Amino acid sequence: MIYTPFENKNAIVTGASRGIGRGIALKLAGRGARVVVADVNLEAAQETAELCGNGAIAVSLNVAKPDAVRSTVADLIAELGRIDILVNNAGINRDAMLHKMSDEQWDSVLAVDLSGVFYMCREVGTHMRTNEYGRIVNVASASWMGNIGQTNYAAAKGGVVSLTRSISKELAFKNVTANAICPGFILTEMTRAIPEKIFNDQLAKIPLGRPGEPEDVANLVAFLASDDASYLTGEVINIGGGYKL
Ligand SMILES: NC(=O)c1ccc[n+]([C@@H]2O[C@H](COP(=O)([O-])OP(=O)(O)OC[C@H]3O[C@@H](n4cnc5c(N)ncnc54)[C@H](O)[C@@H]3O)[C@@H](O)[C@H]2O)c1
């Protein structure tokens, strides 16, 4: 029997043109959702949407731009009728030690990784509040606990954790859940780009002995987005093969 918990559900996944976001989009679509692949890279987003099938659509969106988020979400609601699931996955890193971190490295990471999540939650969360149904999953990171060379990224992801806990309390009575997940070390273009020594150091910290795959993260997101997780909100869940900072 085919498992389709998301039949007749519409989902937005940001940053889904590749990596973890693509894995999440494929998983939700595979389980019946109509997925909106929202990404700055429209061409790659279209590729993800094609792979998803099931009526998936790609939209060009920079989550760090509040006006763009506002108009894109309004257009999507007009087109689809409702948004049931929001996965805030778009993120960037610009690692540097504190004494070398530029204003641009700080500002750009905070803009995408934290403000972007806020803008999306505000627009889509307000819609879900009216509908009295919604599942929000925010992709934070194990780094939110603090990590060398990641002052900007850790601060942004820590902000995502606090934001998620706050909105979970605000929206619970309207049947909207919000949870944060904290991936450890997952194989994507983001992690493939890091220097070999750091890559191997990270690998050595994983008790299960392998880096994660996007699908490992997608399995958790699919659970949190489903009605099996209807009694779970405001949680912060690690997904990293035991990896912790
Ligand atoms: N890979 C890991 O080990 C790891 C660990 C912890 C957390 N994360 C988090 O998981 C998420 C996905 O990471 P990934 O490894 O797949 O990264 P990735 O770099 O492979 O993919 C990120 C995606 O986000 C998109 N994006 C970037 N800026 C955007 C913006 N302003 N608006 C819309 N889309 C934008 C990119 O085009 C890309 O498709 C990120 O939030 C990241 O911080 C990743």
Side-chain angles (χ1 to χ4, degrees):
M1 202 174 73
I2 303 170
Y3 178 52
T4 54
F6 305 125
E7 206 171 1
N8 300 320
K9 296 260 193 296
N10 297 319
I12 299 178
V13 185
T14 69
S17 79
R18 67 182 200 187
I20 294 172
R22 176 176 278 188
I24 294 168
L26 290 172
K27 180 67 64 176
L28 297 183
R31 293 189 182 174
R34 182 169 190 196
V35 176
V36 178
V37 179
D39 204 289
V40 276
N41 184 343
L42 181 60
E43 211 174 304
Q46 278 162 341
E47 213 177 271
T48 301
E50 265 169 46
L51 290 170
C52 285
N54 207 33
I57 49 179
V59 294
S60 168
L61 177 65
N62 182 347
V63 296
K65 303 283 181 205
D67 290 342
V69 169
R70 204 172 288 122
S71 63
T72 301
V73 171
D75 290 349
L76 287 170
I77 292 168
E79 185 178 343
L80 303 176
R82 57 185 287 147
I83 310 295
D84 306 285
I85 297 163
L86 169 64
V87 184
N88 284 306
N89 164 82
I92 58 170
N93 61 349
R94 299 284 182 269
D95 294 357
M97 297 298 277
L98 177 63
H99 61 285
K100 290 187 176 164
M101 187 169 289
S102 66
D103 293 349
E104 196 281 326
Q105 285 171 317
W106 172 265
D107 290 340
S108 58
V109 170
L110 267 289
V112 177
D113 294 16
L114 179 56
S115 298
V117 175
F118 164 66
Y119 301 140
M120 290 299 299
C121 285
R122 184 174 57 185
E123 300 312 315
V124 181
T126 303
H127 163 78
M128 289 175 165
R129 185 189 164 103
T130 307
N131 282 348
E132 303 199 5
Y133 182 89
R135 297 273 179 273
I136 298 173
V137 182
N138 290 331
V139 181
S141 166
S143 293
W144 84 275
M145 298 292 282
N147 201 17
I148 291 171
Q150 294 198 311
T151 310
N152 50 359
Y153 186 76
K157 296 298 190 179
V160 169
V161 167
S162 306
L163 177 157
T164 307
R165 287 172 54 91
S166 299
I167 65 169
S168 74
K169 291 176 183 179
E170 284 192 19
L171 296 172
F173 80 116
K174 291 289 187 184
N175 193 27
V176 178
T177 66
N179 293 288
I181 64 165
C182 300
F185 192 63
I186 313 298
L187 269 186
T188 67
E189 287 177 56
M190 185 185 269
T191 43
R192 284 193 184 97
I194 68 178
E196 195 181 339
K197 183 183 173 328
I198 300 177
F199 188 98
N200 289 333
D201 287 351
Q202 295 297 315
L203 204 53
K205 287 185 191 152
I206 306 172
L208 278 180
R210 66 167 177 89
E213 296 291 336
E215 192 174 8
D216 293 314
V217 180
N219 285 332
L220 174 60
V221 173
F223 168 66
L224 292 172
S226 77
D227 287 337
D228 288 343
S230 59
Y231 198 56
L232 216 146
T233 196
E235 299 298 344
V236 181
I237 303 170
N238 289 314
I239 168 93
Y243 175 101
K244 284 188 191 67
L245 286 171

